[in-house]
Coordinates of all heavy atoms in Angstrom, one line a residue:
S540 N 103.0 100.9 76.4 CA 104.0 101.4 77.4 C 103.2 102.2 78.3 O 102.4 103.1 78.1 CB 105.0 102.3 76.7 OG 105.9 102.9 77.6
I541 N 103.6 102.0 79.6 CA 102.9 102.8 80.7 C 103.8 104.0 81.1 O 103.4 104.8 82.0 CB 102.9 101.8 81.9 CG1 101.8 102.4 82.9 CG2 104.2 101.7 82.7 CD1 101.5 101.4 84.1
D542 N 104.8 104.2 80.4 CA 105.8 105.4 80.6 C 105.4 106.5 79.8 O 105.4 106.6 78.6 CB 107.2 104.9 80.2 CG 108.3 105.8 80.8 OD1 107.9 107.0 81.2 OD2 109.4 105.4 80.9
I543 N 105.2 107.7 80.5 CA 104.7 109.0 79.8 C 106.0 109.5 78.9 O 105.8 110.1 77.9 CB 104.3 110.0 80.8 CG1 102.8 109.7 81.3 CG2 104.3 111.4 80.2 CD1 101.9 109.8 80.1
L544 N 107.2 109.1 79.3 CA 108.3 109.5 78.4 C 108.1 108.9 77.1 O 108.4 109.6 76.1 CB 109.6 108.9 79.1 CG 110.5 109.9 80.0 CD1 111.6 109.1 80.6 CD2 111.0 111.0 79.2
S545 N 107.6 107.7 77.0 CA 107.3 107.1 75.7 C 106.2 107.9 75.0 O 106.3 108.1 73.7 CB 106.9 105.6 75.9 OG 106.4 105.0 74.7
S546 N 105.2 108.3 75.7 CA 104.1 109.1 75.1 C 104.6 110.4 74.5 O 104.3 110.9 73.4 CB 103.1 109.3 76.1 OG 102.4 108.2 76.6
M547 N 105.5 111.0 75.3 CA 106.2 112.3 74.8 C 107.0 112.0 73.5 O 106.8 112.8 72.5 CB 107.1 112.9 75.8 CG 106.5 113.6 76.9 SD 107.7 114.4 78.0 CE 108.2 113.2 79.1
R548 N 107.7 111.0 73.5 CA 108.5 110.7 72.2 C 107.7 110.4 71.0 O 107.9 110.9 69.9 CB 109.4 109.5 72.5 CG 110.5 109.9 73.6 CD 111.2 108.6 74.2 NE 112.1 109.0 75.3 CZ 112.5 108.1 76.2 NH1 112.1 106.9 76.1 NH2 113.3 108.6 77.1
H549 N 106.6 109.6 71.3 CA 105.7 109.3 70.2 C 104.9 110.5 69.7 O 104.5 110.6 68.5 CB 104.7 108.2 70.5 CG 105.4 106.8 70.6 ND1 105.8 106.1 71.6 CD2 105.6 106.0 69.6 CE1 106.3 105.0 71.3 NE2 106.2 104.9 70.1
A550 N 104.6 111.4 70.6 CA 103.8 112.7 70.3 C 104.6 113.5 69.3 O 104.2 114.0 68.3 CB 103.4 113.4 71.5
V551 N 106.0 113.6 69.6 CA 106.8 114.4 68.8 C 107.0 113.7 67.5 O 107.0 114.3 66.4 CB 108.1 114.6 69.5 CG1 109.2 115.2 68.6 CG2 107.9 115.6 70.7
A552 N 107.3 112.4 67.5 CA 107.6 111.7 66.2 C 106.4 111.8 65.3 O 106.5 111.9 64.1 CB 107.9 110.3 66.6
T553 N 105.1 111.5 65.9 CA 103.9 111.6 65.0 C 103.8 113.0 64.4 O 103.4 113.1 63.2 CB 102.7 111.2 65.9 OG1 102.8 109.9 66.5 CG2 101.4 111.2 65.1
S554 N 104.1 114.0 65.2 CA 103.9 115.3 64.7 C 104.9 115.6 63.6 O 104.6 116.3 62.6 CB 104.1 116.4 65.8 OG 105.4 116.6 66.1
R555 N 106.0 115.1 63.6 CA 107.1 115.3 62.6 C 106.6 114.5 61.3 O 107.0 115.0 60.2 CB 108.5 114.8 63.2 CG 109.0 115.7 64.2 CD 110.4 115.3 64.6 NE 111.3 115.5 63.7 CZ 112.0 116.7 63.4 NH1 111.8 117.7 64.2 NH2 113.0 116.8 62.5
M556 N 106.1 113.4 61.4 CA 105.5 112.6 60.3 C 104.4 113.4 59.6 O 104.3 113.5 58.4 CB 105.0 111.3 60.7 CG 106.1 110.3 61.1 SD 107.3 109.9 59.9 CE 106.3 108.9 58.8
R557 N 103.6 114.0 60.4 CA 102.5 114.9 59.9 C 103.1 116.1 59.1 O 102.6 116.5 58.1 CB 101.6 115.3 61.0 CG 100.8 114.3 61.6 CD 99.8 114.9 62.6 NE 98.7 115.7 61.9 CZ 98.3 117.0 62.1 NH1 99.0 117.6 63.0 NH2 97.4 117.5 61.4
E558 N 104.2 116.7 59.7 CA 104.7 117.8 59.1 C 105.4 117.4 57.8 O 105.5 118.1 56.7 CB 105.8 118.4 60.0 CG 106.7 119.4 59.4 CD 106.1 120.5 58.7 OE1 104.9 120.9 58.8 OE2 106.7 121.2 57.8
G559 N 106.1 116.2 57.8 CA 106.7 115.7 56.5 C 105.7 115.6 55.4 O 105.9 115.9 54.2
A560 N 104.5 115.1 55.8 CA 103.4 114.8 54.8 C 103.0 116.2 54.3 O 102.7 116.4 53.1 CB 102.3 114.0 55.4
R561 N 102.8 117.1 55.2 CA 102.4 118.4 54.9 C 103.4 119.1 53.9 O 103.0 119.7 52.8 CB 102.1 119.3 56.1 CG 101.6 120.7 55.7 CD 102.1 121.8 56.8 NE 103.5 121.9 56.8 CZ 104.1 122.7 55.9 NH1 103.5 123.4 55.0 NH2 105.5 122.8 55.9
A562 N 104.6 119.0 54.2 CA 105.7 119.6 53.5 C 105.7 119.1 52.0 O 105.8 119.8 51.1 CB 107.0 119.5 54.1
L563 N 105.5 117.8 52.0 CA 105.5 117.1 50.6 C 104.4 117.7 49.8 O 104.5 117.9 48.6 CB 105.6 115.7 50.8 CG 106.8 115.0 51.2 CD1 106.7 113.5 51.4 CD2 108.0 115.2 50.1
E564 N 103.2 117.7 50.4 CA 102.0 118.2 49.8 C 102.2 119.6 49.2 O 101.8 120.0 48.1 CB 100.8 118.1 50.6 CG 100.3 116.6 50.9 CD 99.1 116.7 51.8 OE1 98.6 117.6 52.3 OE2 98.5 115.5 52.0
S565 N 102.8 120.4 50.1 CA 103.0 121.8 49.8 C 104.0 121.9 48.6 O 103.8 122.7 47.6 CB 103.6 122.5 51.0 OG 103.9 123.9 50.7
K566 N 105.0 121.1 48.6 CA 106.0 121.1 47.4 C 105.5 120.6 46.2 O 105.7 121.2 45.1 CB 107.2 120.3 47.9 CG 108.1 120.9 49.0 CD 109.2 120.0 49.3 CE 110.1 120.6 50.4 NZ 111.1 119.6 50.8
S567 N 104.5 119.7 46.3 CA 103.9 119.1 45.0 C 102.7 119.9 44.6 O 102.1 119.6 43.6 CB 103.4 117.7 45.3 OG 102.5 117.6 46.3
G568 N 102.2 121.0 45.4 CA 101.1 121.8 45.0 C 99.8 121.2 45.4 O 98.8 121.7 45.0
V569 N 99.8 120.0 46.1 CA 98.6 119.4 46.5 C 97.8 120.1 47.6 O 96.6 120.1 47.8 CB 98.8 117.8 46.9 CG1 97.5 117.3 47.4 CG2 99.5 117.1 45.7
A570 N 98.7 120.7 48.5 CA 98.1 121.4 49.7 C 97.0 122.4 49.3 O 97.3 123.3 48.4 CB 99.1 121.9 50.6
T571 N 96.0 122.5 50.0 CA 94.9 123.5 49.6 C 94.8 124.7 50.6 O 94.0 125.6 50.4 CB 93.5 122.8 49.5 OG1 93.2 122.2 50.7 CG2 93.6 121.8 48.3
D572 N 95.5 124.5 51.7 CA 95.3 125.5 52.8 C 96.5 126.5 52.9 O 96.6 127.2 53.9 CB 95.1 124.8 54.1 CG 96.2 123.9 54.5 OD1 97.2 123.8 53.7 OD2 96.2 123.3 55.6
G573 N 97.3 126.5 51.9 CA 98.5 127.4 52.0 C 99.6 126.7 52.7 O 100.8 126.9 52.3
G574 N 99.3 125.9 53.7 CA 100.3 125.0 54.3 C 101.7 125.5 54.6 O 102.6 124.9 54.6
A575 N 101.7 126.8 55.2 CA 103.0 127.4 55.5 C 103.5 127.1 56.8 O 104.7 127.1 57.0 CB 102.9 128.9 55.3
K576 N 102.6 126.8 57.8 CA 103.0 126.6 59.1 C 103.3 125.2 59.4 O 102.6 124.2 59.0 CB 101.9 127.1 60.1 CG 102.3 126.9 61.6 CD 101.5 127.8 62.5 CE 102.1 127.6 63.9 NZ 101.5 128.5 64.8
S577 N 104.4 124.9 60.1 CA 104.9 123.6 60.5 C 103.9 122.9 61.4 O 103.3 123.6 62.3 CB 106.3 123.6 61.1 OG 106.6 122.3 61.6
L578 N 103.6 121.6 61.3 CA 102.8 120.8 62.1 C 103.6 120.2 63.2 O 103.0 119.4 64.1 CB 102.0 119.8 61.3 CG 101.0 120.4 60.3 CD1 100.3 119.3 59.6 CD2 100.0 121.4 60.9
A579 N 104.9 120.3 63.2 CA 105.8 119.6 64.1 C 105.6 120.2 65.5 O 105.4 121.4 65.7 CB 107.2 119.6 63.7
V580 N 105.8 119.3 66.5 CA 105.9 119.7 67.9 C 107.2 119.3 68.5 O 107.7 118.2 68.1 CB 104.7 119.0 68.7 CG1 104.9 119.2 70.1 CG2 103.3 119.4 68.3
E581 N 107.8 120.2 69.2 CA 109.2 119.9 69.6 C 109.2 119.2 71.1 O 108.2 119.3 71.7 CB 110.1 121.1 69.5 CG 109.7 122.2 70.5 CD 110.7 123.3 70.7 OE1 111.5 123.5 69.7 OE2 110.9 123.9 71.8
W582 N 110.4 118.8 71.4 CA 110.5 118.0 72.7 C 110.2 118.9 73.9 O 109.5 118.4 74.9 CB 111.8 117.3 72.8 CG 113.0 118.3 73.0 CD1 113.7 118.9 72.0 CD2 113.5 118.7 74.2 NE1 114.7 119.7 72.6 CE2 114.6 119.6 74.0 CE3 113.2 118.4 75.6 CZ2 115.4 120.2 74.9 CZ3 114.0 119.0 76.6 CH2 115.1 119.9 76.3
K583 N 110.5 120.1 73.8 CA 110.2 121.0 75.0 C 108.7 121.2 75.2 O 108.2 121.2 76.3 CB 110.8 122.3 74.8 CG 112.4 122.3 74.8 CD 112.9 123.7 74.5 CE 114.4 123.8 74.4 NZ 115.0 125.1 74.2
E584 N 107.9 121.2 74.1 CA 106.5 121.3 74.2 C 105.9 120.0 74.8 O 105.0 120.1 75.6 CB 105.9 121.6 72.9 CG 106.3 123.0 72.3 CD 105.7 123.2 70.9 OE1 106.2 122.5 70.0 OE2 104.8 124.0 70.7
S585 N 106.5 118.9 74.5 CA 105.9 117.6 75.0 C 106.2 117.5 76.5 O 105.4 116.9 77.2 CB 106.6 116.4 74.3 OG 107.9 116.2 74.7
L586 N 107.3 118.1 77.0 CA 107.6 118.1 78.4 C 106.5 118.9 79.2 O 106.0 118.5 80.3 CB 108.9 118.7 78.7 CG 110.1 117.8 78.6 CD1 111.5 118.6 78.8 CD2 110.1 116.7 79.6
F587 N 106.0 120.0 78.6 CA 104.9 120.8 79.1 C 103.6 119.9 79.2 O 103.0 119.9 80.2 CB 104.7 122.1 78.3 CG 103.5 122.9 78.8 CD1 103.6 123.8 79.8 CD2 102.3 122.7 78.1 CE1 102.5 124.5 80.2 CE2 101.1 123.4 78.5 CZ 101.3 124.3 79.6
L588 N 103.4 119.2 78.1 CA 102.2 118.5 78.0 C 102.2 117.3 79.1 O 101.1 117.1 79.6 CB 101.9 117.8 76.7 CG 101.9 118.8 75.5 CD1 101.7 117.9 74.1 CD2 100.7 119.8 75.6
A589 N 103.3 116.8 79.3 CA 103.4 115.6 80.3 C 103.3 116.1 81.8 O 103.1 115.3 82.7 CB 104.8 114.9 80.1
T590 N 103.4 117.4 82.0 CA 103.5 117.9 83.4 C 102.5 119.0 83.6 O 101.3 118.7 83.9 CB 104.8 118.5 83.8 OG1 105.3 119.4 82.7 CG2 105.9 117.3 83.7

Side-chain angles (χ1 to χ4, degrees):
S540 174
I541 200 171
D542 193 343
I543 284 291
L544 267 173
S545 173
S546 298
M547 284 191 274
R548 295 162 185 160
H549 282 99
V551 171
T553 301
S554 76
R555 291 180 69 89
M556 292 296 291
R557 293 187 69 232
E558 167 54 18
R561 183 209 64 80
L563 286 175
E564 289 181 354
S565 179
K566 290 176 181 178
S567 64
V569 175
T571 59
D572 59 356
K576 179 157 186 179
S577 172
L578 299 180
V580 172
E581 66 167 30
W582 68 274
K583 294 179 182 179
E584 293 176 294
S585 76
L586 278 174
F587 174 85
L588 300 181
T590 53

